[in-house]
């Protein structure tokens, strides 16, 4: 049965991430955001504490923890700065296909790499499924004897510029209707081209790049799982990505509520704190209600995945509602701050920008609603 009680180990993990977030992230978040500075120092600290390898099985050096545990960690780290937490989350995303379907040799080489040193990985999945349906998959490959040759461009790859290796989903150029295949490959292979994406609106400390594969030659042992049968791997990876992305949005929303509440108690008008005004109280109450609902949806989806329950609909519900909540809560926080909320001297304008990163086309709330609606309608057909 789904329960909200944390184990002592989960409480320790949450408290460890919370302490690191408040002591190491919050003091530097604005500077990292302004300069678009990649948080290499924080990533090394998180790696040293084991936070960057939570989902890697114990047999390969990681903590072997589940999705729910990663939710607790990413929620707390994103409370401090979602841009700085993004490299950690992106590593988890990229490792997921290998955790789910990789063979022992692949796990030892690539997951072990993340454990042995503070390194980075990136996932190339966005738009692949839609591209196959419209006849233009972003990544394709062809056979060449015992090798495969990958071509295509993946836009907006998180960790794309710093990744030591990639997990890539691609369509067979010679048999495009036969389904997806998944590959793992090093980033230093000839033909891998990376172009940094700069001047981002939000999550500016995160590394994002356009990654282009030009006649990149990989061996047969780069194939993860069975050829042409990676759609299930992709679906399970997306379920986890959506839930962990929801956790990051949850952290942003919680921080915005805390900042708005503290400001409402401090800011005075007509001789009293604005927290005494009913309009402000209603806004704060609505923010809190939405956050708690988002937390429950996210926790339930993570628990369902960890317990082997069907979770695609739960993951889409959590992703849609939580990203919407983060956007609404951060916007209301700016409103409570008034004119000061529009200034970079206060954190809420950054929180609003960071929230928007999960609210744009791609794996957006509109996409999630379409998936949920499809499930609802299927019950009547």
């Amino acid at each position: 049965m789904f329960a909200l009680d944390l184990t002592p180990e989960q409480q320790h993990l949450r408290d460890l991430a919370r302490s690191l977030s408040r002591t190491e992230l919050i003091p530097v978040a604005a500077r990292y955001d302004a300069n678009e500075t990649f948080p290499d120092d924080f990533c090394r600290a998180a790696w040293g504490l084991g936070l960057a390898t939570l989902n890697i099985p114990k047999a390969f050096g990681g903590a072997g923890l589940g999705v729910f545990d990663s939710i607790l960690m990413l929620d707390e780290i994103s409370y401090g700065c979602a841009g700085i937490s993004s490299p950690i989350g992106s590593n988890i995303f990229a490792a997921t296909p290998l955790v789910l379907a990789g063979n022992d040799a692949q796990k030892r080489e690539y997951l072990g790499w993340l454990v042995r040193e503070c390194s980075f990985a990136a996932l190339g999945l966005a738009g692949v499924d839609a591209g196959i349906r419209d006849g233009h998959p972003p990544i394709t490959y062809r056979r060449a004897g015992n090798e495969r040759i990958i071509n295509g461009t993946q836009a907006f790859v998180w960790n794309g510029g710093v990744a030591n290796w990639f997990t890539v989903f691609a369509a067979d150029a010679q048999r495009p209707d036969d389904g997806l295949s998944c590959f793992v490959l090093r980033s230093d292979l000839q033909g891998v081209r990376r172009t940094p994406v700069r001047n981002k609106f939000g999550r500016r400390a995160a590394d994002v790049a356009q990654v282009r594969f030009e006649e990149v030659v990989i061996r047969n042992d780069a194939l993860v799982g069975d050829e042409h049968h990676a759609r299930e791997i992709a679906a399970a990876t997306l379920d986890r990505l959506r839930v962990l992305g929801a956790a990051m949005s949850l952290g942003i929303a919680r921080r915005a509520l805390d900042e708005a509440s503290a400001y409402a108690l401090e800011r005075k008008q007509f001789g009293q704190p604005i927290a005494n005004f009913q309009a402000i109280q209603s806004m704060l109450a609505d923010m809190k209600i939405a956050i708690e609902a988002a937390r429950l949806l996210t926790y339930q989806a993570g628990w369902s995945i960890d317990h082997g329950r069907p979770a695609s609909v739960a993951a889409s519900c959590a992703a849609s509602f939580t990203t919407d909540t983060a956007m609404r809560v951060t916007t209301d926080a700016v409103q409570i701050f008034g004119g000061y909320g529009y200034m970079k001297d206060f954190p809420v304008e950054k929180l609003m920008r960071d929230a928007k990163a999960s609210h744009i086309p791609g794996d957006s709330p509109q996409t999630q609603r379409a998936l949920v609606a499809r499930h609802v309608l299927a019950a009547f057909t």
Side-chain angles (χ1 to χ4, degrees):
M1 172 181 283
F2 174 57
L4 295 177
D5 294 331
L6 301 184
T7 66
E9 293 78 13
Q10 288 171 333
Q11 291 176 9
H12 174 72
L13 171 64
R14 181 198 60 193
D15 294 344
L16 179 65
R18 179 175 295 174
S19 175
L20 188 66
S21 179
R22 284 160 169 73
T23 60
E24 301 293 332
L25 291 195
I26 290 178
V28 303
R31 174 163 53 87
Y32 276 56
D33 176 77
N35 299 327
E36 282 194 290
T37 303
F38 183 75
D40 187 68
D41 50 353
F42 170 77
C43 291
R44 292 184 182 280
W47 173 81
L49 293 170
L51 298 179
T53 53
L54 290 183
N55 70 324
I56 295 176
K58 290 182 179 180
F60 302 97
L65 299 180
V67 174
F68 191 91
D69 303 282
S70 295
I71 289 171
L72 297 175
M73 183 270 294
L74 285 174
D75 176 10
E76 292 296 341
I77 299 298
S78 299
Y79 181 99
C81 178
I84 296 178
S85 73
S86 290
I88 304 300
S90 298
N91 270 11
I92 295 174
F93 301 158
T96 295
L98 292 183
V99 173
L100 293 173
N103 58 44
D104 284 353
Q106 290 168 339
K107 291 176 180 178
R108 278 194 300 271
E109 179 175 358
Y110 293 101
L111 300 185
W113 194 342
L114 296 179
V115 172
R116 289 190 301 272
E117 60 182 283
C118 180
S119 51
F120 301 97
L123 174 66
L125 176 57
V128 173
D129 202 34
I132 289 175
R133 290 196 298 272
D134 68 17
H136 298 88
I139 310 286
T140 62
Y141 72 94
R142 70 179 189 274
R143 290 173 176 271
N146 292 324
E147 298 173 327
R148 290 171 177 81
I149 301 174
I150 295 182
N151 282 282
T153 300
Q154 186 81 69
F156 306 117
V157 178
W158 297 84
N159 274 6
V162 297
N164 301 97
W165 53 271
F166 296 96
T167 313
V168 176
F169 287 81
D172 189 333
Q174 296 155 318
R175 300 167 57 185
D177 296 329
D178 285 354
L180 291 174
S181 298
C182 181
F183 302 96
V184 58
L185 60 144
R186 296 172 62 104
S187 62
D188 58 2
L189 292 176
Q190 184 174 354
V192 177
R193 309 278 186 254
R194 300 190 273 190
T195 304
V197 175
R198 306 294 294 177
N199 298 318
K200 300 184 296 297
F201 180 67
R203 302 196 188 184
R204 289 166 55 85
D207 175 87
V208 180
Q210 181 189 82
V211 179
R212 181 170 181 80
F213 301 101
E214 298 177 350
E215 295 289 293
V216 177
V217 179
I218 58 174
R219 305 189 308 263
N220 279 341
D221 60 7
L223 178 67
V224 179
D226 296 326
E227 189 169 17
H228 303 137
H229 290 85
R231 203 175 293 275
E232 288 187 2
I233 303 172
T237 298
L238 280 170
D239 286 347
R240 288 155 176 79
L241 186 153
R242 287 162 180 155
V243 173
L244 297 178
M248 297 171 73
S249 294
L250 182 61
I252 296 171
R254 291 195 306 110
R255 173 75 182 284
L257 174 60
D258 287 353
E259 294 288 348
S261 299
Y263 183 80
L265 289 168
E266 175 187 322
R267 172 72 166 146
K268 292 185 177 180
Q269 286 186 347
F270 308 109
Q272 59 181 317
I274 63 172
N276 291 347
F277 300 152
Q278 186 174 5
I280 299 296
Q281 292 177 359
S282 293
M283 291 177 70
L284 294 172
D286 286 344
M287 294 158 75
K288 176 65 173 176
I289 292 166
I291 287 171
E292 290 307 313
R295 188 203 306 273
L296 287 172
L297 282 170
T298 303
Y299 281 12
Q300 182 189 31
W303 181 92
S304 296
I305 292 172
D306 287 340
H307 286 79
R309 308 289 179 84
S312 292
V313 175
S316 289
C317 287
S320 176
F321 188 81
T322 307
T323 51
D324 274 351
T325 294
M327 197 69 250
R328 185 167 59 252
V329 167
T330 54
T331 301
D332 285 348
V334 170
Q335 191 72 19
I336 288 172
F337 270 74
Y340 292 110
Y342 202 64
M343 309 299 292
K344 291 186 181 296
D345 295 336
F346 293 86
V348 289
E349 65 86 27
K350 174 186 177 297
L351 293 169
M352 186 176 72
R353 290 188 286 106
D354 288 349
K356 194 63 181 175
S358 296
H359 210 257
I360 55 179
D363 212 37
S364 65
Q366 290 75 24
T367 302
Q368 304 314 312
R369 285 183 172 86
L371 294 171
V372 174
R374 194 179 307 157
H375 171 79
V376 171
L377 294 173
F380 294 92
T381 59

